[in-house]
Amino acid sequence: MRLYEGIIKILDEKGPLPLSALCNEANTLFEIGGFTPDPSDIYNVLNRKKELFLLQGGMVSIQPGKQPLYLTVFAELPSTVGYQLRVDFTKGYFTLIEWRDKECPRFPGFPEPRNPGDIGIFKTQVYKSAIWDWDKNYFPEEGIILDGFSWSVKLKTMTTVYEKSGTNKFPVQWKILSRGIRELTGYPFG
């Protein structure tokens, strides 16, 4: 686990903390791995990741516009499969809906049972994917696409709603998000 991921985990669980308390929590979190972050290490991470962390009046928190509350992701490849994922981070649950074409050779029979992953780990993937930095739309420049892979993402944070979509074109961080979804749901997403 990287230091900034540990800071996210701590702030997610404990809420806003004074810098000294954050340092103590980080030392406890990382002591198993033999790494003891200095306050300067933590301060450097907070400065490098200003778009994610807020340091105000000696208190450290996650920027309200970046703290996920609810996420909906839709992905569909016509004539094969489609998925919709809904994640409620405040209540700690998710729902995945899968639909597929009966004639699709990729999916014979019924799907096998899956083991769900951890929403806390998935939330870290959402932070890493930085949906707030994505362009609003992604479309290839070839013209009209009738049967392409289409997707949309709606992320509701404490202060902002981000809506992004595309067809046959993706932001670079799409791989981070789709890998996180696969780990959370156990389904091949996107």
Side-chain angles (χ1 to χ4, degrees):
M1 176 184 319
R2 293 179 166 163
L3 183 55
Y4 88 91
E5 293 171 340
I7 293 171
I8 289 171
K9 179 178 171 50
I10 293 164
L11 294 175
D12 226 20
E13 291 173 3
K14 308 275 183 181
L17 292 171
L19 186 55
S20 59
L22 179 61
C23 291
N24 292 336
E25 292 290 334
N27 285 331
T28 302
L29 181 65
F30 286 100
E31 73 184 350
I32 296 169
F35 170 61
T36 307
D38 291 327
S40 63
D41 295 330
I42 292 171
Y43 191 74
N44 286 337
V45 169
L46 298 176
N47 276 329
R48 257 194 346 260
K49 301 277 186 182
K50 284 183 181 178
E51 76 281 353
L52 189 56
F53 299 112
L54 180 64
L55 178 58
Q56 190 173 29
M59 296 294 284
V60 181
S61 62
I62 296 171
Q63 291 277 2
K66 308 290 171 59
Q67 194 163 10
L69 299 178
Y70 198 83
L71 175 72
T72 302
V73 182
F74 165 84
E76 180 179 31
L77 183 59
S79 301
T80 58
V81 66
Y83 298 101
Q84 183 178 39
L85 172 71
R86 297 180 189 145
V87 182
D88 188 327
F89 292 104
T90 56
K91 294 182 181 174
Y93 72 86
F94 71 90
T95 305
L96 177 73
I97 300 169
E98 175 190 30
W99 61 96
R100 50 189 154 144
D101 187 338
K102 187 168 77 171
E103 306 300 320
C104 178
R106 274 179 62 196
F107 298 102
F110 290 99
E112 53 198 60
R114 312 290 177 147
N115 293 324
D118 183 90
I119 287 183
I121 293 170
F122 176 66
K123 194 173 194 180
T124 301
Q125 298 296 80
V126 171
Y127 284 119
K128 281 183 180 179
S129 68
I131 294 165
W132 41 84
D133 290 336
W134 296 5
D135 293 339
K136 183 154 181 66
N137 297 301
Y138 290 84
F139 299 106
E141 296 165 15
E142 291 107 36
I144 298 173
I145 298 170
L146 300 175
D147 62 350
F149 184 88
S150 59
W151 60 271
S152 66
V153 174
K154 183 177 181 181
L155 174 65
K156 182 180 178 194
T157 67
M158 293 179 77
T159 61
T160 311
V161 175
Y162 302 95
E163 295 187 67
K164 315 295 182 170
S165 64
T167 302
N168 280 5
K169 190 173 180 181
F170 308 91
V172 173
Q173 299 91 338
W174 174 261
K175 289 180 181 180
I176 296 169
L177 183 64
S178 62
R179 183 176 54 241
I181 292 171
R182 281 192 305 275
E183 291 168 3
L184 176 66
T185 65
Y187 279 81
F189 197 94

